[in-house]
Structure formats: C-alpha cells, structure tokens
Amino acid sequence: MDDLLAPMHIVILLIVALLVFGPKRLPHLGSDLAKGIKAFQQELHGANTLSARIPSEDSQSPNSSSNDRGS
C-alpha cells in the first residue's frame, strides 16, 4: 500500500460508485460535483479580490474616532 491512488484502487472506487449510485445517476453526480467545485473556486477568487479592495483598519483617518469621544 505504497500509493493510495494506484490504478487498481481507482478502478475499485469506480465500480463501488457505479454499484451504489447506478449507471443513470452517476453522470449527473459527476456534473453536479464539477459545478460545485467551479462555484467554490469562483467564490474563493471573489473573496480574494474583495479582500484586496477593502482598506485595512490602520489606513482609516484619525478623525473618524473623534466622534466617539463626544458627550
């Protein structure tokens, strides 16, 4: 068991998936999984660009804290 992704292991996993889900549902599961992975990657990319656009707390002007001292 040196390699967990040996060709024989992949074949066994595919046979088990075929037995569990059936030949009609297996292609739909593959496409749904691919859509989910693609959406996840797009959200990660969107979060990275969003965090780059948000200014850090250190860059806020000191005048914004003067309103808190009031009454």
Side-chain angles (χ1 to χ4, degrees), residues 10-61:
I10 295 173
V11 170
I12 292 172
L13 285 174
L14 290 174
I15 291 172
V16 169
L18 184 63
L19 290 174
V20 170
F21 297 112
K24 291 183 181 179
R25 187 161 177 185
L26 200 57
H28 296 292
L29 287 174
S31 65
D32 289 343
L33 180 64
K35 288 178 186 176
I37 291 172
K38 187 175 183 178
F40 180 72
Q41 288 177 344
Q42 287 176 346
E43 290 296 323
L44 278 179
H45 180 68
N48 288 340
T49 57
L50 180 63
S51 64
R53 284 188 266 163
I54 297 175
S56 65
E57 292 179 13
D58 296 337
S59 66
Q60 290 180 352
S61 64

